[in-house]
Amino acid sequence: MVITLILLGVLLVFLLLAAGVMKTREMEQENRLMQSYMASMEEFYSGIQNRIEATRKYRHDLAKHIQTLEALLGKSTDTAEMEEYVQDLKKRYDTLKKQEFCSDELVNSILTIKQEQCSGKDIPLMMDVEDCIYNNIEEVDIVALLHNLLDNAIEAQERIPENQDKGIWFSMRRDGNKLIIDMKNRVREGEKITFTTKKPRREEHGIGTKIIGSLVEKYHGTLEVAPDEDEGMFEERIVLCSNTGDENGSF
């Protein structure tokens, strides 16, 4: 009996040690994945900042160049060729302006990048963004939120066969201290809607989903989802608040 108890005690200690080792390895792996994810997000954020600066400089130089040419045009006697050049510059400037979703340069840059990604993948992306400054959310958080939300929707479209409809609908606005995002995207017909990725790097997708959840908690917000497998649609609403206000949105 004593020997049996000793053996059971040794076995229990062994199991506890094994569980501790497995937990430690799991935490180490999660830390490595988090570091890798954060490094990629920092690179993405840096790219956005560079894009903002380049766009700002290009817009400023182009507008200044148009003004200079218009002044010269008024003094020139041979205006046909110069007039054509001015009109071409104005078209380029108007094209640049049309790419702007809102006056918030950070948000605009993120959405422009995602629009280009969707265009390259032939994924219809419709965006309705209120023209305002979204400074009620920290910059690094708005980058993580929009990047992960739209990436999830894009991933869902990539799984849809070519003979089925695709589409992403994105809406964002401010209501006082609240940031409200409504998203809707198609899913593959007959696919059971889950919150797991089908991509090889599924761990990073899980981290991204956790980050979205942590942001909802950080900003005292809500996350509501409405999957409709019969219609092949997935809807979600995210409401973030910049303080501890208790107002929430709903479908």
Side-chain angles (χ1 to χ4, degrees):
M1 182 68 179
V2 174
I3 295 176
T4 302
L5 291 174
I6 293 174
L7 290 174
L8 288 175
V10 171
L11 179 60
L12 179 60
V13 171
F14 176 79
L15 290 175
L16 290 174
L17 289 174
V21 170
M22 291 178 62
K23 183 64 175 178
T24 300
R25 289 180 178 176
E26 182 180 334
M27 292 178 62
E28 289 175 349
Q29 182 183 17
E30 186 169 344
N31 287 336
R32 286 195 298 269
L33 288 169
M34 179 62 75
Q35 290 173 2
S36 174
Y37 177 84
M38 293 307 297
S40 66
M41 285 302 300
E42 287 176 5
E43 183 178 355
F44 181 68
Y45 185 76
S46 177
I48 290 173
Q49 293 294 339
N50 291 336
R51 189 188 189 100
I52 289 174
E53 291 302 319
T55 301
R56 187 181 297 166
K57 184 177 184 302
Y58 179 71
R59 185 189 298 117
H60 176 268
D61 291 348
L62 188 57
K64 188 175 181 180
H65 196 34
I66 290 173
Q67 292 175 355
T68 301
L69 286 175
E70 286 180 328
L72 293 174
L73 185 60
K75 300 177 182 179
S76 176
T77 57
D78 185 13
T79 62
E81 185 174 352
M82 191 174 293
E83 175 68 26
E84 182 179 352
Y85 186 52
V86 169
Q87 293 304 319
D88 178 65
L89 287 176
K90 285 184 175 180
K91 287 180 181 178
R92 289 165 59 189
Y93 186 78
D94 290 339
T95 299
L96 183 65
K97 292 290 288 183
K98 288 178 182 177
Q99 292 177 352
E100 295 181 352
F101 297 99
C102 65
S103 52
D104 189 308
E105 291 185 311
L106 180 64
V107 171
N108 185 72
S109 294
I110 299 169
L111 298 182
T112 300
I113 290 172
K114 295 305 176 184
Q115 183 187 53
E116 291 173 354
Q117 289 180 0
C118 287
S119 179
K121 299 174 183 291
D122 293 324
I123 298 173
L125 172 61
M126 283 63 70
M127 289 193 274
D128 179 18
V129 182
E130 182 182 7
D131 187 10
C132 64
I133 303 299
Y134 294 91
N135 56 2
N136 57 329
I137 304 298
E138 293 181 24
E139 287 190 351
V140 66
D141 292 337
I142 198 74
V143 171
L145 179 65
L146 297 183
H147 174 69
N148 285 293
L149 280 175
L150 289 166
D151 262 16
N152 289 348
I154 291 172
E155 177 191 332
Q157 305 316 293
E158 292 175 327
R159 297 199 302 271
I160 298 176
E162 293 300 323
N163 62 340
Q164 295 180 15
D165 291 336
K166 301 180 180 183
I168 300 172
W169 292 262
F170 175 88
S171 172
M172 184 167 71
R173 61 187 176 88
R174 278 191 66 169
D175 182 7
N177 70 312
K178 295 188 298 183
L179 169 68
I180 302 173
I181 295 177
D182 288 299
M183 281 195 64
K184 180 171 67 173
N185 63 266
R186 295 192 181 276
V187 295
R188 187 175 62 192
E189 292 180 8
E191 178 178 286
K192 185 172 180 60
I193 299 174
T194 67
F195 299 95
T196 59
T197 182
K198 304 297 189 297
K199 289 185 176 180
R201 300 176 70 178
R202 62 182 66 232
E203 296 89 350
E204 290 191 16
H205 174 94
I207 290 175
T209 302
K210 288 180 182 178
I211 288 175
I212 292 175
S214 70
L215 291 175
V216 172
E217 182 178 355
K218 175 180 178 179
Y219 289 96
H220 317 288
T222 58
L223 168 61
E224 301 178 33
V225 297
D228 189 337
E229 295 177 15
D230 294 332
E231 294 295 327
M233 299 293 292
F234 179 80
E235 296 184 51
E236 58 187 322
R237 164 169 285 196
I238 290 180
V239 178
L240 303 184
C241 304
S242 57
N243 55 40
T244 55
D246 57 1
E247 297 181 41
N248 293 318
S250 60
F251 282 114

